């Protein structure tokens, strides 16, 4: 009986959470993640050939910082006073695709903007952003050990790794 009441209560709560605005915001944020894949493909094919490594990493850091700020500007309203954005995933991708300079720039800009937004979860949100950056550095080192220094992820691997870590970060 208690389990049934819990299930009804949970379903009732979820139906209140999942509104049209929630779905639109979720789709928008998921599209940001998909855009990251296309941005990277564009970068590799056109921009990377014209820039040296440091310039390329700065370029990627700027692009991903804007995407992170956009994600934080349109968070998912999960519960009253509890918002979710995809900033950690964007920081993770910036580091994986752009390298340490791109990831560092993205996490700095994201942390400053998160501090500017304020709220009860500010410190936790900033710490989680840094955790995402350091996790990406660990993943890069692990992949380099497995595949060699000049590894390249396939788009499917990129998306799967990102989604895997976004689930982990969301659970934190």
């Amino acid at each position: 009986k208690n389990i049934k009441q819990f299930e009804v209560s949970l379903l009732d709560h979820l139906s209140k959470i999942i509104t049209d605005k929630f779905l639109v915001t979720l789709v928008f944020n998921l599209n940001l993640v998909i855009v990251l894949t296309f941005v990277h493909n564009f970068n590799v094919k056109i921009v990377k050939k014209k820039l040296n490594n440091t310039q390329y990493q700065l370029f990627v850091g700027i692009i991903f910082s804007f995407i992170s700020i956009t994600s934080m500007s349109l968070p998912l309203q999960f519960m009253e006073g509890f918002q979710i954005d995809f900033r950690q995933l964007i920081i993770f991708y910036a580091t994986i695709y752009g390298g340490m300079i791109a990831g560092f720039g993205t996490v700095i800009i994201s942390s400053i903007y998160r501090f500017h937004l304020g709220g009860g979860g500010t410190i936790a949100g900033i710490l989680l952003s840094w955790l995402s950056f350091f996790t990406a550095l660990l993943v890069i080192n692990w992949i380099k050990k497995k595949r060699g220094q000049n590894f390249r992820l396939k788009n499917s691997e990129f998306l799967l790794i990102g989604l895997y870590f976004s689930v982990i970060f969301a659970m934190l």
Side-chain angles (χ1 to χ4, degrees):
K1 186 177 180 179
N2 287 337
I3 293 175
K4 282 281 191 200
Q5 288 175 331
F6 175 75
E7 288 174 353
V8 170
S9 174
L10 180 63
L11 289 174
D12 185 48
H13 183 68
L14 286 175
S15 68
K16 290 177 185 174
I17 291 172
I18 301 176
T19 62
D20 289 340
K21 183 179 178 187
F22 178 85
L23 289 175
V24 167
T25 308
L26 176 64
V27 168
F28 177 79
N29 278 281
L30 289 173
N31 281 327
L32 282 176
V33 173
I34 292 168
V35 164
L36 289 175
T37 303
F38 293 108
V39 166
H40 177 260
N41 286 334
F42 171 77
N43 282 340
V44 169
K45 291 178 181 170
I46 296 171
V47 177
K48 192 172 186 176
K49 295 175 183 175
K50 297 179 181 182
L51 303 174
N52 68 37
N53 192 44
T54 303
Q55 292 171 329
Y56 174 73
Q57 287 191 41
L58 289 171
F59 177 76
V60 171
I62 291 167
I63 297 287
F64 281 65
S65 293
F66 282 121
I67 294 172
S68 178
I69 288 170
T70 303
S71 176
M72 286 188 281
S73 299
L74 298 165
L76 297 169
Q77 296 288 339
F78 192 67
M79 288 186 255
E80 185 67 32
F82 184 73
Q83 301 174 346
I84 299 172
D85 59 56
F86 290 167
R87 160 183 22 122
Q88 287 80 19
L89 184 59
I90 295 164
I91 292 166
F92 183 84
Y93 279 164
T95 309
I96 292 287
Y97 266 158
M100 188 162 74
I101 294 171
F104 185 75
T106 304
V107 76
I108 288 289
I109 298 298
S110 297
S111 295
I112 290 169
Y113 189 68
R114 181 62 185 96
F115 184 77
H116 167 73
L117 291 175
T122 300
I123 300 299
I126 291 171
L127 290 174
L128 198 55
S129 295
W130 283 94
L131 177 64
S132 178
F133 171 67
F134 289 120
T135 301
L137 290 177
L138 290 172
V139 169
I140 288 172
N141 287 328
W142 179 75
I143 292 173
K144 282 182 180 179
K145 286 179 183 175
K146 295 283 185 189
R147 293 193 180 171
Q149 198 66 13
N150 294 323
F151 73 92
R152 179 159 180 196
L153 292 175
K154 298 175 191 170
N155 286 340
S156 58
E157 292 173 322
F158 175 73
L159 288 171
L160 287 174
I161 289 171
L163 291 173
Y164 175 76
F165 282 101
S166 66
V167 169
I168 289 172
F169 293 134
M171 292 177 4
L172 297 175

